[in-house]
Amino acid sequence: MADSFRISGAGRFSHAKTARFTFDDKPYSGIEGDTLASALLANGVHLVGRSFKYHRPRGILSAGAEEPNALVGIHRDAARKTPNVRATVQELYDGLTAVSQNRWPSLSFDVGAVNDVASPFFSAGFYYKTFMWPKAAWKSLYEPKIREAAGLGVSPDQPDPDHYSARFAHCEVLVLGGGAAGLAAALAAAESGVRVILVDEQAELGGALRFESAARIEGQDGWTWAQGIAARLKAMPNVRVLTRTTAFGYYAQNFVGLTERVTDHLSSPGMDQPRERLWQVRARRVVLATGAIERHMVFADNDRPGIMLASAARTYLNHYGVAVGRNVGVYTANDSAYAAALDLKKAGVNVAAIVDLRDNPSGDLIDQTRAAGIEIHGGRAVVSVGGKLRISSMTVQPRTGGKNQRTIPVDALLMSAGWTPSVHLFSQSRGKVAFNEQVKRFLPGTYAQDCISIGGCNGTDELSTCMDEAYAAGLKAAKDAGGKTAKAAKPKVEADEVWSRGMLGAAPGAEAGTTVKAFVDFQNDVTAKDIRQAVHEGMRSIEHVKRFTTNGMATDQGKTSNMHGLAIAADELSRAIPEVGLTTFRAPYTPVTFGSIVGHARGSLFDPTRRTAMHDWAERNGAAFEDVGQWKRAWYFPRAGEDMHAAVNRECVTVRKTAGLFDASTLGKIEVVGPDAAAFMELLYTNPWQKLDPGRCRYGLMLREDGFIYDDGVVGRLAADRFHVTTTTGGAARVMNHMEDYLQTEFPHLKVWLTSTSEQWAVIAVQGPKSRDIIAPLVEGIDISDAAMPHMSVREGKICGVPTRLFRMSFSGERGFEVNVPADYGETVWEALWAEGQKHGACAYGTEAMHILRAEKGYIIVGQDTDGTVTVNDAGIDWAIGRKKTDFVGIRGMKRPDLVAPGRKQLVGLKTKDPKVVLEEGAQIVADPNQPVPMTMIGHVTSSYWSENCGRSIALALVAGGRDRMGETLHVPMPDRTIEVEVTGTVFFDEKGEHLNG
Amino acid sequence: MVKGSQGVKSVQGAKNVQRTKRVQAAKKEAQTGDAVTVERREALAGRVFSAAGVTVTPLPPAERVSLRAPEDSVAALSRALGVTLPAKPKTSAAKAGRLAFWLGPDEWMVIDEGGKDPLADCARVKALHSAVGISHRNVAIAVTGPACEATVSAGCPQDLSLAVFPVGAVSRTVLGKAEIVLYRAAEDSFRIECWRSFSDYVFTFLSEAARDAAA
Amino acid sequence: MLLIRCPYCEEERPELEFRNAGEAHVARPADIAAISDEDFEAFFFIRSNPKGIIYERWRHIHGCARFFNAVRDTVSDKFVMTYKAGEPKPKKLPGVAK
Ligand SMILES: [Zn+2]
């Protein structure tokens, strides 16, 4: 039985190697070059899936990307399970494992098929109407159940082990589609010398020449000509040919997304090969040569396995050497199906009859068919078919009705209602399609971008006309994009194939009033009746019909169904097709994997992870890290046996008793340089700067124009014309942008420049009473005595022989220094300081201890104790405003009525009545815990810690009118209890500030 | 006029210090009383990645200055630096181990790979300007080989063909999710500058991209 | 992804290098500390939000780092033209009917 439908001598892979595969665990063999679909058909398998809603048995409809039915799962291993793969696109490889979907327990016996019997209940809009009430049941009952029952295939539950790559590419001419037209256009453009990219979704170039056996170009059959041109193009240095590549999205300014399938066709892909490669192409000109897609006939039970598009059957025969049956019927309204019948007949397949809706089909092709002895039933329709898991017969009657029925046994039925130009990408480019009444097609109308449509997608039916149009378009595109005139001649077509018009909408027997299941959209199980029902229920626009019926909304996006659906709706509305409108085509053209979109941005490349110069030391010394934006910061340094709490307590106590070393490198640093540096600082910060002496530092506070606190940091004046500004870690980039914005656009007259030096300097904070003793032996050329270098000063000199900017400053309330050294020396200077620190019993401390130490002193952290709606007065730091200043950013905003109104939330301290209770940050505060719910919330906790130094918990909070509530008892309601707190000042430790010089 | 940091303490000696790249050198200088007692640890020390057609390598430390100046000062600065600051967008100038990149209409990055100190050269110029040392802020990576363009194109959206991005072209741009300065040193070689803490990301990105660049 | 012509770099560059910075030609009052609540509202909160031509600020943040102005059509998303910061609104727009 194996391969019993393979016809020897037919097809293009007769000498190819055997490839073994399984489908639902059953072993089969095919040949390399097959698709999964052609291999299954070669084995006589037509039943490959169950439909989405009714679980109806489904076969293979097409031989390409438009396939709505034959969706399978491809399983390489436990982690590589790809659902919803079109069997018509998946290339066969040795060892391929495929499984059918949407069936239980088996494909041929599926319990879900009860939906088919119960189908009157599942008509259009069923879900909308049925599950409206009661509302609560939607979340708890309906939605989970529907979700369980819905969907095709199963997603893998393990991380994807494949990798995906990405590439930006640029070219003068991008040709989308590698059929006869695309090849001719690419050739013309390429010979002009410009950069050309030619893209096709198939493994080989040639497009419809795969099946058009009668075409002859340049003295060769069409396919052979195509392979020759393809080889020629691939050899040209200015041409990139991408096969197995889908142009899925056409975006602004000729930016086109392509996804290239690199390994899905390989038996054992190499480790270095990406599974897919995303190309983001910018082209000067785009040539659309996307062809046309054959439509099915809409008649009763037109979804039975064995019923397929005529061009598909022809492709399986001429390209893969596979007969789709032994006794086939043809149902058509179009000439091209005759060519399929002729090819099959010539290959020895019996053609039982051709049923043509047209009364008197005529022409060469019809004459040849008749001459070949094939029965032609003109003016007749197929009104029903026999067989369930596979078609067994077709019943034919005159299209005008009557009892003159005849049942003809067939094992396959080929159909063609005509060809729909693929205007998807044109439409995505925002071009407007226009309906051509004469040929009943939507064709490219008004162009929105620098592109041109040629061939089938432009409604050009004859191959010779196609070739002329394509070659001219390729030449013009290249010329418009700056190319020279090509020398080569236009390919000559000696024998044409022609596609005629066909018909749109439901065929006789499925017209209005009938109840048969004549499918329009196979994948979403939408019938002609469903479309009519949508119209009856009031849908007028095709956009409404689409959403009500889900016609065209499946993964195939209605490639075969849109025009039929539209025609049926228009007919029912008694309106012309253009009046009902065409739905919008959206990207992606065919489904794109998440992997392809993600590309390299996985794992460590998902987002940059920034590490300081001292990171490795912290890691070697057991630090736990926390994420602060993109930075990894040492959080605490647990010693053996310590948990976080114990480690942090020890670090906090050690800093105040002796000293601690802290990595402050992540703070933003900006060097402000120029004669107007001080004037600029005056405008950007609330504080006065003109009179700050070089060598001194000041806490700087920055507002936005709206008057709210934006950032803060210590600023050192290095010289009259040079400031070393620091920002918060999280604010570094936006503060720089904010400063540049004002400098470039509001204050461009100032002679000053800004340079980010955040990463030039590694910063080691040495804090605590022993800090000076620790740095003293290593510092050269700076007098660090209190007299020479008081709190809030800065000096330049050396430490360990490397240049340093040494700040005397404190974020802990203790005597402290911040040692800035060039980043590459950060770790080794730290090590030197650490060695000195060890002599004094100093510790390394992390961000958690840093937060607690500053909270003990009531120092705010912008972004934690402020949230973008906190004013200077709210934060209780009015002293930071230069009262005599007449301008700075925020000077007007901070005086807005709401910002100076009484009752605003103000920053205060909170002490829990039970000192052991630590509040939760973010917890809400109420005045009266006995008030009914919802309570009036008067504030919230912004910072809260256990303070080992204070022997109790401490917290900062924003409380309405907080500073007038000193000593008041407030309440923090929590799920299990209500916590009593007392409002206090914000300084919990060393209120007089004596430790700064201690 | 923008002088260095005269108000505080001279930065004298900085150039000697930064010239000293290794402990060995430091020991030698210890005898002259200008001792660097700690070693320099580069962010990408020891890393290199090779694939078919392309190699990704960290470049040795260099002296770098972020230079800002109005048009009037350009001639004086060029003289002091020994390299003509380019005036055209996306261009660079190179002379005697010194590179000058146009980054913006009043912004250049000056790189010295010969151990000389361009910051000191700028300090001698009286004309209005801002010179800030950024030697340690940046890390440089070379992407070399016939597949270098494909490698960088994995994450950089600019057209890097020789016609559009010729030898000597330089631009601040993006690579994946990081900002870089991209300089075409030769037909088959790019120099990429990024901030120190992004260097791991940039190097890893380029390595990943290099695996696929031969395609 | 759009291409945006930077008036300082004098060529079109990919959108990834740029950042939008809100409406253009909204000048910060020189005497801002003295203006009325109404004037502050007009300056700080009120934006034009037109259907059609809009004047915007953009920054070539990952390029030359300059802020500049752009004329864009909010219906088509298309850039009509760009010009340097500080330059007045262009009197004539290429390809735009009055
Ligand atoms: Zn620019």
Side-chain angles (χ1 to χ4, degrees):
Chain A
M1 262 309 270
D3 263 29
S4 59
F5 287 83
R6 188 87 59 183
I7 294 176
S8 74
R12 302 191 173 104
F13 306 102
S14 48
H15 301 294
K17 276 193 283 184
T18 300
R20 274 169 294 273
F21 68 104
T22 66
F23 179 57
D24 282 347
D25 296 329
K26 200 174 162 196
Y28 296 97
S29 69
I31 54 177
E32 285 183 356
D34 263 335
T35 59
L36 176 59
S38 70
L40 285 166
L41 292 171
N43 287 278
V45 177
H46 278 256
L47 172 64
V48 291
R50 287 271 173 177
S51 74
F52 180 61
K53 198 159 85 176
Y54 302 132
H55 289 245
R56 284 170 66 101
R58 289 283 163 82
I60 295 161
L61 180 79
S62 73
E66 68 271 34
E67 179 62 35
N69 281 339
L71 305 185
V72 298
I74 301 292
H75 297 179
R76 271 193 196 271
D77 54 42
R80 292 177 173 91
K81 293 180 177 176
T82 312
N84 302 331
V85 175
R86 288 153 293 161
T88 53
V89 170
Q90 175 65 50
E91 290 175 58
L92 193 67
Y93 55 80
D94 195 46
L96 180 141
T97 303
V99 296
S100 61
Q101 302 183 151
N102 210 31
R103 61 10 180 206
W104 185 85
S106 78
L107 188 54
S108 51
F109 178 74
D110 173 23
V111 167
V114 70
N115 284 2
D116 193 16
V117 182
S119 62
F121 301 109
F122 287 95
S123 62
F126 168 74
Y127 292 104
Y128 296 130
K129 285 182 278 193
T130 311
F131 299 110
M132 292 283 282
W133 185 91
K135 211 175 165 191
W138 175 255
K139 271 257 160 283
S140 59
L141 179 66
Y142 300 145
E143 195 186 8
K145 284 286 155 202
I146 292 168
R147 287 204 180 282
E148 204 177 297
L152 290 158
V154 181
S155 308
D157 54 7
Q158 292 184 32
D160 186 345
D162 285 314
H163 72 279
Y164 299 79
S165 74
R167 191 84 62 85
F168 288 99
H170 306 261
C171 64
E172 276 65 50
V173 179
L174 172 63
V175 181
L176 302 177
L183 284 166
L187 184 66
E191 281 172 345
S192 308
V194 299
R195 290 176 295 175
V196 175
I197 298 178
L198 171 63
V199 177
D200 195 86
E201 61 186 0
Q202 302 278 347
E204 291 146 309
L205 297 168
L209 298 172
R210 282 201 303 170
F211 60 81
E212 289 188 334
S213 52
R216 287 198 70 79
I217 309 165
E218 303 271 283
Q220 297 165 299
D221 71 87
W223 179 258
T224 308
W225 170 81
Q227 301 322 300
I229 298 296
R232 214 164 121 195
L233 287 168
K234 282 176 190 167
M236 295 173 81
N238 57 326
V239 180
R240 186 186 285 281
V241 176
L242 295 171
T243 52
R244 299 188 176 95
T245 303
T246 302
F248 63 82
Y250 193 140
Y251 306 96
Q253 290 171 288
N254 278 352
F255 192 62
V256 180
L258 317 173
T259 182
E260 181 186 5
R261 292 168 292 279
V262 181
T263 63
D264 274 357
H265 64 293
L266 298 178
S267 192
S268 42
M271 283 300 292
D272 262 359
Q273 282 180 295
R275 181 177 169 218
E276 290 175 5
R277 187 178 290 120
L278 176 75
W279 293 87
Q280 296 180 80
V281 182
R282 180 79 66 179
R284 297 281 297 277
R285 293 290 183 282
V286 173
V287 176
L288 294 162
T290 49
I293 292 169
E294 196 170 24
R295 290 186 303 277
H296 57 282
M297 299 291 288
V298 179
F299 61 99
D301 297 328
N302 59 344
D303 63 330
R304 292 303 185 210
I307 304 180
M308 65 168 58
L309 299 174
S311 62
R314 208 175 165 205
T315 303
Y316 290 121
L317 178 71
N318 293 341
H319 194 67
Y320 300 103
V322 174
V324 300
R326 302 195 197 287
N327 181 39
V328 304
V330 176
Y331 184 21
T332 185
N334 170 41
D335 284 357
S336 61
Y338 285 79
L342 270 173
D343 283 351
L344 282 159
K345 178 84 181 173
K346 277 181 209 154
V349 175
N350 186 50
V351 179
I354 293 178
V355 182
D356 196 326
L357 267 184
R358 298 171 296 183
D359 284 332
N360 290 303
S362 62
D364 273 359
L365 205 51
I366 284 92
D367 295 342
Q368 284 177 46
T369 309
R370 231 177 239 118
I374 298 172
E375 255 180 59
I376 298 172
H377 301 257
R380 279 162 199 271
V382 175
V383 291
S384 68
V385 296
K388 197 155 191 197
L389 299 179
R390 173 84 184 261
I391 186 173
S392 59
S393 66
M394 60 175 178
T395 300
V396 179
Q397 71 173 38
R399 65 170 179 81
T400 48
K403 286 186 187 144
N404 191 9
Q405 282 194 349
R406 192 178 141 199
T407 297
I408 304 169
V410 291
D411 62 357
L413 178 56
L414 320 184
M415 54 186 170
S416 177
W419 295 83
T420 307
S422 281
V423 293
H424 305 72
L425 290 172
F426 169 78
S427 180
Q428 282 185 26
S429 80
R430 293 195 175 189
K432 292 221 171 10
V433 293
F435 192 73
N436 183 317
E437 270 303 335
Q438 202 190 350
V439 293
K440 301 272 186 247
R441 290 174 187 165
F442 280 102
L443 295 174
T446 314
Y447 282 83
Q449 300 202 35
D450 288 329
C451 62
I452 181 82
S453 299
I454 55 167
C457 69
N458 195 36
T460 309
D461 290 328
E462 301 84 358
L463 184 58
S464 52
T465 323
C466 261
M467 203 65 90
D468 292 354
E469 178 178 277
Y471 199 80
L475 274 183
K476 182 169 190 310
K479 195 167 163 244
D480 291 350
K484 304 182 292 272
T485 308
K487 292 175 195 98
K490 179 180 71 187
K492 270 196 216 66
V493 175
E494 285 107 15
D496 263 356
E497 286 221 6
V498 179
W499 300 340
S500 58
R501 280 164 221 178
M503 59 94 67
L504 292 170
E511 61 270 85
T514 59
T515 57
V516 297
K517 279 206 185 75
F519 286 93
V520 173
D521 181 324
F522 292 109
Q523 201 179 120
N524 266 355
D525 272 349
V526 181
T527 64
K529 181 170 157 270
D530 290 331
I531 307 252
R532 292 188 197 106
Q533 188 192 334
V535 171
H536 290 163
E537 296 203 13
M539 310 303 140
R540 289 294 175 271
S541 152
I542 195 65
E543 293 287 357
H544 294 150
V545 172
K546 166 180 164 173
R547 279 155 187 81
F548 194 73
T549 61
T550 73
N551 190 57
M553 287 171 73
T555 61
D556 68 330
Q557 290 199 47
K559 291 185 177 63
T560 49
S561 66
N562 278 340
M563 289 309 296
H564 283 317
L566 179 56
I568 294 166
D571 189 41
E572 202 65 14
L573 286 161
S574 303
R575 287 161 68 190
I577 282 178
E579 284 175 48
V580 182
L582 183 64
T583 55
T584 313
F585 295 98
R586 294 181 205 285
Y589 175 69
T590 52
V592 178
T593 63
F594 282 109
S596 195
I597 301 293
V598 169
H600 294 291
R602 300 177 67 187
S604 65
L605 292 178
F606 172 67
D607 203 33
T609 299
R610 304 175 69 182
R611 295 180 183 82
T612 71
M614 289 83 93
H615 183 90
D616 290 353
W617 186 93
E619 211 167 67
R620 286 196 300 276
N621 285 270
F625 290 90
E626 69 166 334
D627 292 334
V628 181
Q630 293 174 321
W631 287 103
K632 291 279 178 202
R633 297 196 74 182
W635 195 9
Y636 56 96
F637 291 82
R639 291 182 180 165
E642 279 184 340
D643 61 6
M644 177 177 176
H645 190 64
V648 170
N649 285 348
R650 173 182 48 75
E651 290 170 17
C652 288
V653 170
T654 308
V655 171
R656 296 215 186 280
K657 227 196 253 167
T658 53
L661 265 61
F662 173 72
D663 180 357
S665 304
T666 62
L667 288 186
K669 299 160 212 80
I670 299 166
E671 205 147 314
V672 179
V673 183
D676 292 330
F680 178 71
M681 291 296 292
E682 290 270 336
L683 285 164
L684 267 290
Y685 283 84
T686 62
N687 321 66
W689 300 98
Q690 296 282 16
K691 288 182 182 159
L692 183 72
D693 288 328
R696 296 311 306 260
C697 302
R698 181 164 284 165
Y699 169 80
L701 186 63
M702 176 179 271
L703 307 184
R704 290 187 311 215
E705 203 70 89
D706 59 9
F708 294 124
I709 293 174
Y710 190 52
D711 203 73
D712 68 351
V714 169
V715 177
R717 188 168 197 170
L718 299 172
D721 55 9
R722 191 175 293 251
F723 289 82
H724 178 114
V725 174
T726 68
T727 75
T728 58
T729 295
R734 62 180 156 80
V735 167
M736 183 74 180
N737 188 60
H738 174 84
M739 289 170 80
E740 278 289 352
D741 191 346
Y742 276 95
L743 177 56
Q744 289 184 35
T745 67
E746 298 293 352
F747 315 128
H749 56 282
L750 296 179
K751 293 184 180 69
V752 60
W753 289 274
L754 314 171
T755 305
S756 173
T757 50
S758 299
E759 300 225 32
Q760 167 68 13
W761 304 102
V763 185
I764 305 157
V766 186
Q767 301 276 305
K770 298 288 183 195
S771 56
R772 186 170 55 193
D773 299 338
I774 291 169
I775 68 166
L778 304 176
V779 173
E780 297 160 54
I782 304 172
D783 181 350
I784 55 172
S785 67
D786 282 352
M789 193 177 177
H791 179 56
M792 293 303 263
S793 50
V794 59
R795 299 287 181 272
E796 288 182 87
K798 284 196 199 172
I799 188 163
C800 303
V802 303
T804 182
R805 286 182 180 172
L806 181 66
F807 285 73
R808 170 93 189 266
M809 56 180 281
S810 176
F811 199 42
S812 62
E814 302 298 321
R815 168 191 296 282
F817 294 88
E818 290 199 355
V819 181
N820 288 248
V821 291
D824 279 359
Y825 293 111
E827 191 171 59
T828 48
V829 171
W830 172 286
E831 284 166 356
L833 286 165
W834 176 249
E836 285 302 319
Q838 293 299 89
K839 297 174 190 166
H840 300 274
C843 69
Y845 67 102
T847 50
E848 187 65 17
M850 178 270 283
H851 276 113
I852 296 171
L853 291 165
R854 66 89 203 178
E856 288 171 351
K857 293 296 301 174
Y859 299 151
I860 63 164
I861 289 185
V862 170
Q864 173 159 351
D865 301 300
T866 71
D867 59 5
T869 67
V870 174
T871 67
V872 185
N873 184 263
D874 296 344
I877 47 176
D878 296 69
W879 52 263
I881 295 174
R883 286 294 158 195
K884 290 182 195 155
K885 290 174 68 169
T886 55
D887 196 5
F888 58 80
V889 174
I891 193 168
R892 181 61 187 82
M894 63 187 274
K895 291 179 193 138
R896 288 188 287 144
D898 281 359
L899 272 60
V900 296
R904 287 186 60 83
K905 286 186 187 176
Q906 295 170 327
L907 194 72
V908 293
L910 293 182
K911 282 183 179 169
T912 50
K913 289 284 166 76
D914 177 350
K916 292 204 161 44
V917 172
V918 181
L919 296 168
E920 266 187 42
E921 288 175 356
Q924 297 291 324
I925 299 161
V926 302
D928 171 13
N930 298 315
Q931 62 185 303
V933 174
M935 298 187 186
T936 302
M937 295 174 286
I938 59 169
H940 62 276
V941 178
T942 60
S943 294
S944 173
Y945 311 95
W946 173 260
S947 164
E948 189 74 2
N949 285 314
C950 298
R952 59 157 302 122
S953 72
I954 57 169
L956 296 172
L958 285 164
V959 176
R963 286 198 290 272
D964 292 333
R965 293 180 188 265
M966 289 300 141
E968 247 182 62
T969 297
L970 298 175
H971 303 269
V972 179
M974 300 301 291
D976 56 338
R977 60 184 166 159
T978 295
I979 302 165
E980 274 191 315
V981 297
E982 185 195 325
V983 180
T984 71
T986 54
V987 184
F988 298 94
F989 186 87
D990 181 29
E991 269 190 72
K992 289 182 183 161
E994 290 160 341
H995 284 238
L996 285 171
N997 293 300
Chain B
M1 166 189 165
V2 180
K3 294 171 194 160
S5 356
Q6 313 254 325
V8 193
K9 184 80 171 79
S10 165
V11 284
Q12 250 261 323
K15 83 172 171 187
N16 291 334
V17 167
Q18 295 188 354
R19 188 191 298 163
T20 309
K21 302 281 159 46
R22 299 284 184 277
V23 182
Q24 261 187 326
K27 279 181 186 156
K28 205 166 108 195
E29 286 187 21
Q31 298 153 1
T32 67
D34 196 8
V36 175
T37 59
V38 289
E39 69 173 328
R40 179 170 186 167
R41 288 189 190 151
E42 293 156 32
L44 295 175
R47 292 177 72 170
V48 63
F49 186 90
S50 272
V54 63
T55 303
V56 184
T57 331
L59 287 165
E63 296 302 305
R64 296 178 183 85
V65 172
S66 171
L67 182 60
R68 308 293 297 274
E71 221 176 310
D72 292 350
S73 307
V74 169
L77 285 161
S78 297
R79 270 196 304 279
L81 286 164
V83 59
T84 306
L85 297 172
K88 251 187 81 189
K90 224 169 89 172
T91 63
S92 66
K95 201 171 179 187
R98 207 163 260 194
L99 291 164
F101 295 165
W102 186 99
L103 292 185
D106 65 349
E107 180 181 1
W108 296 266
M109 179 156 63
V110 179
I111 301 175
D112 189 295
E113 294 184 290
K116 298 211 180 79
D117 185 1
L119 195 58
D121 293 340
C122 292
R124 285 194 292 273
V125 176
K126 292 205 168 66
L128 179 64
H129 72 278
S130 154
V132 174
I134 51 163
S135 304
H136 288 243
R137 186 187 77 176
N138 285 19
V139 170
I141 299 167
V143 183
T144 305
C148 67
E149 197 180 303
T151 302
V152 179
S153 288
C156 177
Q158 283 200 36
D159 186 343
L160 302 180
S161 63
L162 276 164
V164 182
F165 207 93
V167 175
V170 65
S171 171
R172 193 154 38 205
T173 181
V174 293
L175 182 84
K177 294 175 184 175
E179 181 180 287
I180 59 166
V181 169
L182 181 67
Y183 167 66
R184 186 167 218 139
E187 283 201 9
D188 65 348
S189 182
F190 287 102
R191 178 193 183 103
I192 290 176
E193 295 258 338
C194 66
W195 286 8
R196 195 181 195 278
S197 73
F198 287 94
S199 64
D200 175 46
Y201 172 87
V202 170
F203 191 91
T204 308
F205 190 103
L206 291 168
S207 305
E208 276 293 303
R211 286 168 77 189
D212 187 48
Chain C
M1 181 172 58
L2 299 171
L3 284 173
I4 301 169
R5 183 184 166 80
C6 172
Y8 296 94
C9 291
E10 296 166 4
E11 69 174 12
E12 287 190 324
R13 292 287 192 85
E15 188 184 348
L16 290 174
E17 293 182 353
F18 295 83
R19 186 180 293 171
N20 181 283
E23 189 165 354
H25 301 293
V26 180
R28 187 177 186 269
D31 58 342
I32 190 164
I35 64 174
S36 67
D37 284 343
E38 290 70 27
D39 287 348
F40 184 78
E41 180 200 29
F43 155 67
F44 189 75
F45 291 106
I46 307 301
R47 293 294 179 267
S48 63
N49 194 28
K51 178 180 179 181
I53 295 298
I54 189 168
Y55 296 81
E56 291 177 325
R57 295 173 348 115
W58 285 74
R59 186 180 183 202
H60 196 184
I61 187 162
H62 300 302
C64 66
R66 296 302 92 192
F67 282 84
F68 61 91
N69 294 326
V71 189
R72 209 166 56 86
D73 187 328
T74 59
V75 177
S76 68
D77 265 1
K78 280 184 183 157
F79 280 80
V80 177
M81 65 179 292
T82 58
Y83 52 103
K84 289 178 180 175
E87 290 179 359
K89 270 190 190 181
K91 289 211 174 72
K92 271 189 192 164
L93 298 179
V96 176
K98 266 222 167 158

